[in-house]
Amino acid sequence: DAQTALSSGCNAILESPSIKHMLGIILSVGNYLNGGTPRGRADGFAIETLAQMRTVKMSQGEKPGTLVDYIVKEMDRMHPAELEAMMAAGGEALSIKGAARHKLGDLMDECRAMKVQGEKFLRSAKAVEEPALQEHALNMEALVAQLQDLEDRLKNLEQRYHSLGDWFAMQGNNKRPSTDDFFTIWDKFMTDVRQAFVAMQERKRQASLHQRRSTPRRQSLACTRDLPNLEKLQSGEDGRKPCGTPRRSSSATMMQRRKTFAGRTGNLAGEGQDGCPLVPPGTPPRRPPLLTPSSGVRHAAEFARQQTSTSDAGGDGDKVAEGAPLSAVEAEVAVAAAAAPAEAAEAEGGPKA
């Protein structure tokens, strides 16, 4: 109800540490701005100053705002988390807004008038000896008692508000505004503080987002995953390939393979073209693989060898046993001898053998 809302508003301003911290910052800023003038080094300020703070602009063009924005910034720096608590549900801002909707003087006048009217009706009901009126008189007596209790609480609230006025140096009835005017000034000031607080939070969020976007990402290296063994990894002591070892190009790799292949096939004694041994020392050379030519090639080879052995001196050439394996060189000679008559016949136009 109205009495509870006004009581909460008075307690929020008189007993809240956050409100006192904010008022202390406002007083310090005002004394700094009025330094060197008769208005400087003041011990307090008028309540109307809260309504005038939104009209004081900042002198820095790159940081637009009012004196309220500066107060909020200093409050957040000196007393972090108190502004958020004031603006939260059940905080001082909502209590002040609820108190600004009621006028204590009007409430007291209305309560007093209702009590007077109830007492008058009660006296009239007791004067008439009627059972129905007597019953209504009992109900009216209970309502008058409730109105009397409400009036006493409103008087206590009025004393509380007078203490609040004395704390703000509002002496006398002429200087002390009504409760609705007083709390309306505070409500407007708290609305400005809320807007400045929201704007400050948004600037912080944008600055954090910009910093996160402008910070380059760290490049992760595969060789730095094992940090304790980084030195061994770089030197190759752990058996793995050291970091930064250049890879051979494809042309160099192919050239090395060609040299190795030529060394293995060109020298059966076990040495390559560069003189490097391909087999351990003392190992007998391996014979080349045996070839098994087809039946036609074998007959041609045997014929060629018989002709060669017959033409030798003495005619005692070695004869090849039928079915003996041929070496690679003998196979090539046999193929060439078999192909020679066919090529001659084709050149003369005759049928092929």
Side-chain angles (χ1 to χ4, degrees), residues 278-325:
L278 299 177
V279 294
T283 304
R286 189 173 58 180
R287 294 178 60 84
L290 301 178
L291 300 179
T292 306
S294 61
S295 58
V297 176
R298 177 177 293 277
H299 293 323
E302 292 178 357
F303 177 77
R305 293 178 62 180
Q306 291 177 2
Q307 294 295 331
T308 304
S309 61
T310 305
S311 60
D312 291 339
D316 294 333
D318 297 336
K319 295 185 179 181
V320 181
E322 185 176 357

Side-chain angles (χ1 to χ4, degrees), residues 197-216:
F197 179 70
V198 172
M200 182 186 67
Q201 293 294 102
E202 181 63 21
R203 288 194 298 269
K204 287 183 178 181
R205 190 185 69 84
Q206 293 292 341
S208 177
L209 184 60
H210 177 72
Q211 182 180 5
R212 193 185 313 165
R213 290 178 177 176
S214 59
T215 302

Side-chain angles (χ1 to χ4, degrees), residues 46-317:
I47 191 63
E48 290 80 7
T49 306
L50 299 178
Q52 299 173 1
M53 291 180 61
R54 70 171 69 95
T55 61
V56 181
K57 304 294 182 180
M58 286 188 180
S59 59
Q60 298 180 357
E62 65 276 6
K63 295 182 179 179
T66 62
L67 187 58
V68 179
D69 296 288
Y70 180 78
I71 297 298
V72 168
K73 180 180 177 181
E74 291 297 310
M75 182 71 180
D76 184 70
R77 182 182 64 84
M78 299 175 63
H79 308 283
E82 289 191 1
L83 279 174
E84 187 175 359
M86 279 196 300
M87 303 303 167
E92 292 84 348
L94 292 181
S95 300
I96 293 174
K97 182 180 287 293
R101 301 172 182 173
H102 307 285
K103 190 175 183 178
L104 180 59
D106 294 345
L107 292 175
M108 296 185 66
D109 294 341
E110 185 179 357
C111 180
R112 191 179 297 111
M114 291 180 64
K115 190 188 75 168
V116 170
Q117 187 177 359
E119 290 175 349
K120 182 179 180 180
F121 180 79
L122 181 60
R123 288 192 298 266
S124 301
K126 288 182 178 181
V128 180
E129 297 181 356
E130 253 185 66
L133 289 178
Q134 292 298 325
E135 185 178 357
H136 285 293
L138 293 176
N139 295 333
M140 184 58 65
E141 188 175 1
L143 292 176
V144 170
Q146 293 180 4
L147 289 173
Q148 182 63 41
D149 181 66
L150 178 59
E151 185 180 7
D152 294 339
R153 286 185 290 162
L154 289 177
K155 287 181 179 180
N156 294 333
L157 181 58
E158 186 180 21
Q159 294 297 326
R160 183 74 169 171
Y161 179 66
H162 288 170
S163 301
L164 180 60
D166 296 339
W167 195 68
F168 279 96
M170 297 182 298
Q171 305 293 336
N173 295 330
N174 296 330
K175 293 183 179 181
R176 184 178 296 115
S178 61
T179 56
D180 57 336
D181 293 339
F182 176 81
F183 287 109
T184 298
I185 294 174
W186 268 98
D187 182 37
K188 292 182 179 179
F189 173 70
M190 295 302 289
T191 301
D192 297 338
V193 171
R194 181 190 297 274
Q195 294 176 357
F197 179 70
V198 172
M200 182 186 67
Q201 293 294 102
E202 181 63 21
R203 288 194 298 269
K204 287 183 178 181
R205 190 185 69 84
Q206 293 292 341
S208 177
L209 184 60
H210 177 72
Q211 182 180 5
R212 193 185 313 165
R213 290 178 177 176
S214 59
T215 302
R217 295 182 179 179
R218 296 181 178 179
Q219 297 180 356
S220 60
L221 298 177
C223 62
T224 60
R225 293 177 182 175
D226 193 5
L227 294 180
N229 300 326
L230 180 58
E231 296 181 357
K232 295 183 179 180
L233 182 62
Q234 293 178 348
S235 60
E237 297 179 0
D238 58 347
R240 291 181 289 178
K241 188 176 182 180
C243 295
T245 303
R247 295 183 177 181
R248 293 184 177 180
S249 60
S250 59
S251 59
T253 304
M254 293 300 297
M255 183 62 68
Q256 182 65 24
R257 291 179 180 177
R258 291 174 181 175
K259 292 173 64 177
T260 304
F261 179 77
R264 290 180 179 178
T265 58
N267 191 343
L268 300 179
E271 294 183 355
Q273 292 182 353
D274 51 357
C276 297
L278 299 177
V279 294
T283 304
R286 189 173 58 180
R287 294 178 60 84
L290 301 178
L291 300 179
T292 306
S294 61
S295 58
V297 176
R298 177 177 293 277
H299 293 323
E302 292 178 357
F303 177 77
R305 293 178 62 180
Q306 291 177 2
Q307 294 295 331
T308 304
S309 61
T310 305
S311 60
D312 291 339
D316 294 333

